[in-house]
Each structure stands twice: as structure tokens, then as C-alpha cells.
Amino acid sequence: MMDYQIMDATEYGVDAAADYFHSKWGNSHNHGFYLDAIAHSAGVKQLPKFFLLLKGQQAVGCYGLITNDFISRCDLWPWLACLFIEESERGQRLSQGIFVHAAKQAGAMGFEQLYLTTDHQGLYEKFGWQRLADGYSLFGAKTRIYQHSVDRLLRLESEIPLGCRNL
């Protein structure tokens, strides 16, 4: 089993990281958004932060910690956003490793809660995310908001499979 690691997107390379994030979340008009956001996260000790999940040297997933995920609840942050794991890598509890990594990052910045917004059901609940409320996306769609305690997420670390523990 190959080990996985999570790397700061700017250390991987701003252009390559922006290309990866954009390939998963972008459209024909917003590559510059990802490039600019990741470039301006370099060296900051607070938000935003962008990370790539690597298998060897190949990106197989990503996530970010940001101040707002284009949702009406601007009073909540940080947001775990842009979570993606390649289909070929799913089913190995890599998302759990990402949640723990995100909790470590958020905790180091003094945050006690993490938030996310999603239309998916099932994945996040398996890892203890609690539905908090509904909010509205920038485009008007109603979407679910989940929260999780940083401390409770950190307790998941002991359950991460061996090949994923250095996340």
C-alpha cells in the first residue's frame, strides 16, 4: 500500500495546484480565481489555506480552509471547502485523514469548530458532522450546513488506516 501525504498547495506549486483544484471545481471562466486564491495563501498563518492529497508525487485529492464558501452564513468560519478525492482512491477513509488534517490546521489557528456546506448526504454524517442549519448559495440554492468540533475531529486520528496516518 502506498502512503499518502497532504501538502500545502503552494509547496506543490501554485500553477500545478491551481490547475488541479480548477479541474475538480472550476468552469471555463474561473481558472484565475483558483490561481489567485492559492497564490495569495502562500506563507499566511491564517486563512485561506489550500492543500493537496498526494499519492507519491501525484495529486489525488484536495481541500481548502477558507473564510466563506460562497454561502449566506458569513458569520461562520472556517469552512472546509473544495474537498475532492479521485474516484480510484475512494473507500480508504482518506476523507477521515483530511478531516483530521483540517482540524489540526484549524486548531493551530485557534478555531474550535469547522463548517462545510454540501448537497451530499451520508459521507459527512459517518464522521460525526452535525447538520447545523440551511443556508443559501451565491446562486440562490438552499444548501445544508454542517459543523464539527475540532477536538472531536482530532479524536478520529487513531482510526485512520496505517497508509494514511502521515496525513
Side-chain angles (χ1 to χ4, degrees):
M1 172 185 219
M2 181 171 286
D3 282 346
Y4 295 87
Q5 66 175 325
I6 295 177
M7 176 182 279
D8 184 290
T10 60
E11 292 175 20
Y12 186 77
V14 171
D15 290 334
D19 289 348
Y20 187 82
F21 272 83
H22 182 259
S23 74
K24 305 308 171 197
W25 297 104
N27 62 44
S28 62
H29 304 291
N30 68 357
H31 186 272
F33 172 87
Y34 291 97
L35 185 62
D36 196 44
I38 292 170
H40 286 93
S41 72
V44 298
K45 299 203 185 311
Q46 288 288 325
L47 303 174
K49 294 283 194 185
F50 297 92
F51 299 93
L52 290 171
L53 172 65
L54 303 178
K55 182 178 184 179
Q57 294 301 309
Q58 181 176 354
V60 295
C62 60
Y63 87 92
L65 288 174
I66 59 177
T67 57
N68 189 280
D69 197 8
F70 302 108
I71 188 157
S72 57
R73 292 297 304 272
C74 298
D75 58 314
L76 305 173
W77 71 86
W79 293 85
L80 189 141
C82 302
L83 175 62
F84 182 85
I85 297 173
E86 296 289 343
E87 193 169 332
S88 62
E89 306 301 316
R90 294 177 189 168
Q92 302 181 67
R93 300 185 72 101
L94 293 171
S95 56
Q96 182 174 349
I98 287 174
F99 298 151
V100 170
H101 186 271
K104 288 178 181 178
Q105 295 293 317
M109 290 183 263
F111 295 108
E112 296 178 2
Q113 299 288 321
L114 279 173
Y115 302 91
L116 64 83
T117 181
T118 186
D119 293 328
H120 298 289
Q121 281 187 291
L123 170 65
Y124 300 104
E125 294 88 346
K126 284 192 303 189
F127 297 102
W129 289 86
Q130 299 291 315
R131 187 164 178 188
L132 176 67
D134 288 332
Y136 294 90
S137 78
L138 182 63
F139 309 103
K142 191 175 187 179
T143 183
R144 289 186 297 282
I145 298 171
Y146 289 83
Q147 73 175 23
H148 208 307
S149 153
V150 166
D151 287 341
R152 283 194 352 254
L153 278 170
L154 291 173
R155 290 186 210 136
L156 296 175
E157 187 168 28
S158 65
E159 301 170 20
I160 299 172
L162 288 177
C164 306
R165 289 220 174 134
N166 64 346
L167 297 177

